[in-house]
């Protein structure tokens, strides 16, 4: 009787139609620019899908994140361990076993979870996946950075309604890897005046942001920083060593990463991966650096982690739990002087995430005082606003595949620079017996950009139709959705972030 009941319960999970639900009502159905369909995938081809299981105590977790990130809280800096987080958010046994039985009954194989048990990744044939996910239809696409191949469904999927309390979404169906912001610009022309720079290098960054030769890691603490590479993007040890030989002569540094986690490909190095590692390790100089390598097609850009804070230059830049870095360029492309908005810098307001409380005052001030705003119908004024900070993103030198490449630009350049500088600040905090900074945003907004150069000139060009006449958001005094609070002035930023 028990076996029959179990069988009927599993059978009920496969019933679609009126008993189905859409876990992602905003599923993307249009093909992004730069991608081409190669047609339906063979029904027996294998693919990997990730199932996000419903977490427990999400509200409590949000409260704890706020408490450990707010300098005014008695819990500030008292971070949870991974074991603590696991105990808090781990899905209920009912959720885990219900989803696991559903997948196994559908023929899923080689399922594996994570420590917190809130994700299950399984292999299925295309035929099995299309039966499992009602409405899905898998096609192969090519495009994006590096002309990579991905398998996606151009149609929305539905799940049995009985799974609604247990599954939040299924990853690997719709979202395409975003296009990198990096590009190589033509070299600007100059008359050859003395005292000029010819592209951004570590020494230019250190000069602009007021770092001395002593502003490097000690190499003796348990401080570390890390980035992750995706989309078949790899760095080469030899490129990093050559980069430091060419550009790292005036500061102590490490010329190799401490550890690579995952599979490091043997193909050509990617410019973005090369840039990430080279500028994270030159800005956060002489600090142990790890690289997490994943050949998968589910993400782009890099996470930068130092201590317990996170940065990301691309999606999900609008997440309220990520410190997002915008881009600037020199007012004169050859002089290390004031910065203005880089025309490729992004920013704005999220249509997905609501505006977090830590930035409400700053955003309200911007909206009420800015003389140049796009029409209100073009942005969600109540959404998460970004970026939070900025750094130079224009005209970088990168060594990739043994070749020094000039004039590389994009917010993927500004992100590792800012992350590396905060690694140095974490070094000082650890040496003085304090915890690392953790999630920076609540403190950053409470201190109203103290320790940063306020960038007040320039607009980004994301809105180009006649109605807005090419006018995107513009920078101004204080926070703005182009450069955030501004770019780092290292000694001032260290002073304002070293205590408590």
């Amino acid at each position: 009787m028990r076996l029959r009941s179990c069988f009927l319960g599993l059978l009920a999970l496969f019933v679609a139609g009126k008993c189905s639900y859409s876990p992602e009502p905003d599923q993307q159905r249009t093909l992004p620019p730069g991608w081409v369909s190669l047609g339906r995938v063979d029904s027996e081809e294998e693919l990997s899908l990730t199932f996000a299981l419903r977490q427990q105590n999400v509200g409590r977790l949000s409260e704890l994140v706020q408490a450990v990130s707010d300098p005014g809280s008695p819990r500030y800096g008292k971070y949870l361990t991974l074991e603590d987080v696991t105990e808090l958010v781990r899905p209920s046994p009912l959720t885990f076993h219900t989803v696991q039985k559903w997948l196994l009954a559908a023929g899923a194989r080689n399922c594996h979870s994570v420590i917190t048990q809130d994700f299950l990744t399984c292999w299925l044939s295309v035929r099995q996946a299309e039966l499992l996910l009602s409405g899905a239809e898998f096609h192969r696409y090519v495009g994006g950075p590096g002309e990579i191949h991905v398998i996606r469904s151009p149609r929305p999927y539905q799940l049995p309604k009985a799974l609604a309390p247990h599954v939040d979404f299924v990853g690997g169906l719709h979202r395409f890897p975003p296009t990198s912001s990096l590009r190589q610009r033509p070299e600007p022309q100059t008359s050859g005046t003395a005292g000029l720079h010819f592209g951004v290098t570590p020494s230019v960054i250190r000069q602009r942001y007021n770092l001395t030769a002593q502003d490097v890691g000690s190499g003796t603490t348990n401080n570390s920083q890390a980035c992750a590479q995706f989309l078949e993007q790899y760095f080469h040890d030899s490129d990093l060593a050559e980069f430091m030989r060419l550009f790292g002569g005036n500061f102590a540094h490490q010329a190799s990463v401490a550890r690579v986690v995952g599979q490091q490909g043997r193909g050509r190095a990617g410019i973005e991966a090369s840039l990430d590692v080279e500028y994270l390790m030159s800005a956060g100089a002489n600090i142990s650096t790890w690289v997490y390598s994943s050949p998968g097609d589910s993400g782009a850009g890099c996470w930068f982690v130092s201590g317990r804070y996170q940065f990301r230059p691309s999606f999900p830049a609008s997440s309220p739990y990520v410190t997002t870095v915008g881009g600037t360029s020199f007012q004169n492309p050859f002089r290390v002087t004031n910065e203005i908005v880089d025309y490729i810098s992004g920013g704005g307001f999220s249509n997905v995430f609501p505006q977090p409380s830590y930035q409400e005052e700053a955003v309200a001030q911007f909206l009420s005082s800015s003389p140049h705003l796009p029409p209100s119908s073009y942005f969600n004024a109540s959404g998460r606003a970004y970026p939070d900070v900025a750094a130079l993103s224009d005209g970088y030198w990168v060594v990739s595949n043994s070749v020094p490449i000039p004039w590389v630009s994009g917010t993927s350049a500004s992100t590792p620079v800012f992350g590396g500088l905060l690694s140095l600040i974490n070094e000082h905090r650890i040496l003085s017996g304090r915890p690392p900074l953790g999630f920076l945003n609540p403190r950053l907004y409470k201190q109203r950009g103290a320790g940063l150069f306020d960038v007040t000139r320039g607009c980004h060009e994301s809105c180009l139709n006649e109605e807005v006449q090419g006018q995107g958001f513009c920078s101004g005094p204080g926070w703005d959705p182009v450069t955030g609070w501004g770019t780092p002035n290292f000694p001032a930023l260290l002073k304002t972030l070293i205590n408590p």
Side-chain angles (χ1 to χ4, degrees), residues 144-187:
E147 290 292 298
I148 61 172
H149 289 245
V150 300
I151 297 175
R152 294 291 186 269
S153 171
R155 298 176 55 189
Y157 69 96
Q158 292 187 317
L159 298 180
K161 196 170 184 178
L163 288 175
H166 306 299
V167 177
D168 286 328
F169 64 89
V170 183
L173 272 83
H174 297 299
R175 293 179 178 86
F176 285 76
T179 303
S180 171
S181 67
L182 286 183
R183 64 191 71 184
Q184 189 175 10
R185 295 188 183 179
E187 180 177 349

Side-chain angles (χ1 to χ4, degrees), residues 12 43 68 76 87 134 140 180 203 258 263 353 376 380 410 433 446:
S43 63
V68 301
Y76 180 67
E87 285 298 315
S134 176
R140 191 182 311 280
S180 171
S203 62
Q263 295 297 316
F353 299 104
S376 60
N380 174 24
K446 180 170 285 189

Side-chain angles (χ1 to χ4, degrees), residues 115-397:
I115 292 176
T116 50
Q117 296 186 359
D118 49 350
F119 286 96
L120 265 177
T121 300
C122 299
W123 285 90
L124 305 94
S125 70
V126 168
R127 177 180 54 80
Q128 291 168 331
E130 291 182 348
L131 286 172
L132 189 72
L133 308 171
S134 176
E137 185 179 278
F138 289 96
H139 293 238
R140 191 182 311 280
Y141 298 90
V142 62
E147 290 292 298
I148 61 172
H149 289 245
V150 300
I151 297 175
R152 294 291 186 269
S153 171
R155 298 176 55 189
Y157 69 96
Q158 292 187 317
L159 298 180
K161 196 170 184 178
L163 288 175
H166 306 299
V167 177
D168 286 328
F169 64 89
V170 183
L173 272 83
H174 297 299
R175 293 179 178 86
F176 285 76
T179 303
S180 171
S181 67
L182 286 183
R183 64 191 71 184
Q184 189 175 10
R185 295 188 183 179
E187 180 177 349
Q189 300 300 309
T190 180
S191 58
T193 308
L196 304 181
H197 77 86
F198 292 90
V200 174
T201 64
S203 62
V204 170
I205 289 170
R206 297 178 74 84
Q207 180 183 348
R208 170 56 188 157
Y209 297 141
N210 293 329
L211 282 82
T212 69
Q214 287 70 48
D215 290 320
V216 295
S218 65
T220 61
T221 71
N222 63 351
N223 189 22
S224 62
Q225 58 190 5
C227 71
Q229 54 192 18
F230 303 95
L231 301 174
E232 306 293 345
Q233 279 271 333
Y234 305 107
F235 82 99
H236 287 174
D237 287 317
S238 57
D239 290 338
L240 174 61
E242 178 65 8
F243 177 85
M244 290 301 185
R245 187 188 71 80
L246 291 173
F247 302 118
N250 60 353
F251 58 93
H253 60 266
Q254 298 181 14
S256 62
V257 301
R259 183 175 175 183
V260 175
V261 180
Q263 295 297 316
Q264 171 76 338
R266 298 181 180 179
R268 289 177 58 81
I271 292 181
E272 185 155 8
S274 302
L275 180 150
D276 291 335
V277 174
E278 290 165 7
Y279 280 90
L280 182 63
M281 293 184 66
S282 55
N286 209 34
I287 292 176
S288 178
T289 303
W290 289 26
V291 174
Y292 290 83
S293 181
S294 171
D297 56 23
S298 59
C302 279
W303 287 100
F304 298 93
V305 183
S306 173
R308 291 180 177 85
Y309 66 82
Q310 294 181 327
F311 293 79
R312 196 169 189 184
S314 57
F315 182 84
S318 62
S319 167
Y321 298 106
V322 171
T323 299
T324 304
V325 186
T328 61
S329 59
F330 287 125
Q331 184 173 350
N332 181 321
F334 297 102
R335 293 191 178 278
V336 185
T337 55
N338 294 335
E339 296 168 68
I340 60 175
V341 174
D342 189 348
Y343 82 94
I344 59 176
S345 179
F349 295 78
S350 173
N351 287 320
V352 177
F353 299 104
Q355 195 169 107
S357 59
Y358 60 73
Q359 67 171 185
E360 287 175 352
E361 181 181 347
V363 174
Q365 173 65 27
F366 169 78
L367 293 175
S368 64
S369 62
S370 175
H372 303 290
L373 290 175
S376 60
S377 60
Y378 276 68
F379 65 97
N380 174 24
S382 62
R384 152 61 161 149
Y386 60 98
D388 305 297
V389 292
L392 285 167
S393 60
D394 185 41
Y396 279 61
W397 279 90

